[in-house]
């Protein structure tokens, strides 16, 4: 939902990551005509496979050039056609539960949910490229439904897969990433792991935005990164991992591109008194601890569970 991916591909080429094979750029460049906000809009086409070929060598390069050693790798992350995501589990999920893939609400194949719109149990045949620890695509996973998605208060989508956690573990020796049930603290060292770019961004939680407003959408209690996490288009939906615990504490979704105030691609922070702060070049994620109370038996979304505060339809 933010920067056109053709521009991001060009930036990588200029940075010395190698030429883009003919056809690869055009495969991921197309965007919907709808207004955009965030870091990627997914068209859900087979071009994700072509893109994997373009970026397969960047995973090792990103680890070599990263400012600090990476304790976090790509295992369990997924690539979409021009967004990122991850296979996630709750603290109480069981091995035989249908697995869930988390990304952004703005990465849905059907376009952006409207403000106030909440999607629950909608059929889907979405596919995802499963990555191993080295960032190599090892399998294609498929959804049978969108279990939950919204861009109201948060920016998240949860897809239910046709595979269980145990089946993924047995077939590919890859475990799901666990969502932390605890709110992260300022100063926490984090990694934003992009399955689309096969790149890991390392920084810290700088603080929190009481409200983050971007165009028509408003998100609550958003995580603000320090400047080292200079995420780009295609990183939308990336898991934000606490380096110390290895658990997911947020889902990456947006950043202020050029200093504009509260517009698409230029979110602004709004405090409790209504004061607005614009932080050009700073990026944000949406916390995920509040998802945990909303997932019940058999990994089913249950918005009526005690402690569940996710928006309801």
């Amino acid at each position: 939902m933010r920067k056109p991916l053709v521009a991001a591909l060009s930036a990588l080429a200029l940075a010395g990551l190698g030429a883009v094979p003919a056809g690869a750029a055009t495969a991921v460049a197309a965007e919907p005509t709808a207004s955009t906000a965030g870091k990627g809009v997914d068209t859900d086409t087979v071009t994700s496979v072509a893109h994997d070929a373009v970026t397969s060598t960047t995973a090792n390069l990103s680890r070599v050039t990263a400012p600090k050693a990476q304790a976090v790798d790509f295992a369990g992350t997924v690539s979409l056609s021009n967004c990122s995501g991850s296979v996630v589990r709750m603290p109480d999920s069981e091995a035989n539960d249908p697995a869930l893939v988390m990304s952004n609400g703005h990465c849905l194949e059907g376009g952006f949910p409207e403000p106030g719109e909440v999607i629950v149990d909608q059929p889907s045949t979405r596919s995802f490229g499963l990555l191993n620890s080295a960032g190599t695509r090892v399998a294609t996973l498929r959804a049978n439904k969108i279990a939950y998605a919204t861009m109201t208060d948060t920016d998240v989508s949860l897809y239910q897969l046709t595979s269980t956690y145990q089946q993924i573990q047995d077939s590919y020796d890859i475990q799901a990433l666990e969502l932390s049930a605890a709110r992260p603290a300022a100063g926490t060292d984090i990694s934003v792991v992009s399955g689309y770019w096969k790149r890991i961004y390392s920084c810290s939680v700088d603080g929190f935005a009481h409200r983050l407003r971007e165009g028509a959408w408003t998100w609550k209690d958003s995580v603000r990164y320090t400047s080292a996490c200079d995420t780009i288009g295609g990183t939308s939906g990336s898991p934000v991992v606490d380096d110390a615990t290895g658990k997911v504490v947020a889902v990456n979704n947006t950043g202020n591109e050029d200093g504009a105030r509260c517009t698409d691609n230029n979110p602004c922070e709004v405090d409790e008194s209504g004061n607005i702060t614009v932080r050009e070049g700073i990026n944000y994620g949406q916390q995920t601890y509040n998802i945990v109370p909303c997932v019940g038996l058999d990994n089913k979304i249950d918005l009526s569970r005690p402690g569940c505060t996710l928006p309801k339809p």
Side-chain angles (χ1 to χ4, degrees):
M1 279 175 41
R2 207 181 88 157
K3 190 176 298 180
L5 291 176
V6 65
L9 283 166
S10 299
L12 281 181
L14 290 171
L17 294 184
V20 177
T26 56
V28 297
E31 288 193 273
T33 56
S35 62
T36 62
K39 291 191 173 292
V41 183
D42 196 280
T43 54
D44 196 34
T45 70
V46 295
T47 57
S48 60
V49 178
H51 174 75
D52 284 344
V54 176
T55 61
S56 61
T57 60
T58 66
N60 287 334
L61 180 58
S62 71
R63 289 195 293 273
V64 170
T65 59
K68 65 178 181 179
Q70 294 290 351
V72 176
D73 59 32
F74 297 99
T77 62
V78 300
S79 60
L80 287 67
S81 61
N82 59 355
C83 278
S84 300
S86 57
V87 181
V88 296
R89 60 178 295 136
M90 307 304 124
D92 294 331
S93 292
E94 298 182 355
N96 62 351
D97 286 341
L100 298 174
V101 160
M102 182 178 71
S103 189
N104 283 147
H106 79 249
C107 291
L108 290 178
E109 61 267 44
F112 304 164
E114 296 292 332
E117 182 180 4
V118 176
I119 297 167
V120 177
D121 290 341
Q122 177 177 297
S124 175
T125 57
R126 195 70 175 275
S127 62
F128 312 90
L130 177 66
L131 306 184
N132 65 13
S133 60
T136 301
R137 182 182 179 127
V138 295
T140 297
L141 302 176
R142 297 196 180 278
N144 55 26
K145 70 178 181 180
I146 301 169
Y148 183 87
T150 191
M151 286 179 66
T152 299
D153 294 352
T154 186
D155 183 7
V156 69
S157 58
L158 290 166
Y159 287 84
Q160 181 177 293
L161 300 183
T162 58
S163 305
T164 67
Y165 295 116
Q166 191 64 59
Q167 288 170 332
I168 295 172
Q169 171 74 30
D170 291 344
S171 297
Y172 313 110
D173 195 26
I174 292 175
Q175 296 183 350
L177 302 179
E178 183 177 325
L179 295 192
S180 174
R183 186 178 186 272
T188 299
D189 289 333
I190 55 173
S191 295
V192 182
V193 188
S194 172
Y196 181 85
W197 285 116
K198 319 298 184 294
R199 180 176 175 184
I200 300 175
Y201 299 81
S202 296
C203 62
S204 300
V205 174
D206 184 55
F208 302 90
H210 173 67
R211 297 290 184 267
L212 192 66
R213 183 184 302 161
E214 180 172 350
W217 294 276
T218 299
W219 303 306
K220 295 181 177 180
D221 201 20
S222 303
V223 175
R224 180 176 63 247
Y225 313 147
T226 54
S227 60
C229 282
D230 52 347
T231 51
I232 61 175
T235 63
S236 284
S238 299
V240 180
V241 180
D242 182 328
D243 290 348
T245 66
K247 295 181 180 181
V248 176
V249 294
V251 56
N252 181 64
N253 80 310
T254 195
N256 187 291
E257 281 196 342
D258 55 27
R261 178 183 169 109
C262 311
T263 64
D264 290 350
N265 308 323
N266 291 286
C268 63
E269 298 184 20
V270 184
D271 69 15
E272 292 88 339
S273 300
N275 300 311
I276 291 175
T277 302
V278 174
R279 302 178 191 268
E280 183 176 358
I282 294 300
N283 298 295
Y284 301 87
Q286 303 308 311
Q287 298 192 61
T288 53
Y289 74 94
N290 54 352
I291 296 173
V292 174
C294 304
V295 181
L297 188 66
D298 299 326
N299 250 15
K300 293 185 182 300
I301 304 298
D302 182 357
L303 301 178
S304 66
R305 296 188 83 219
C308 179
T309 60
L310 289 178
K312 300 172 175 59

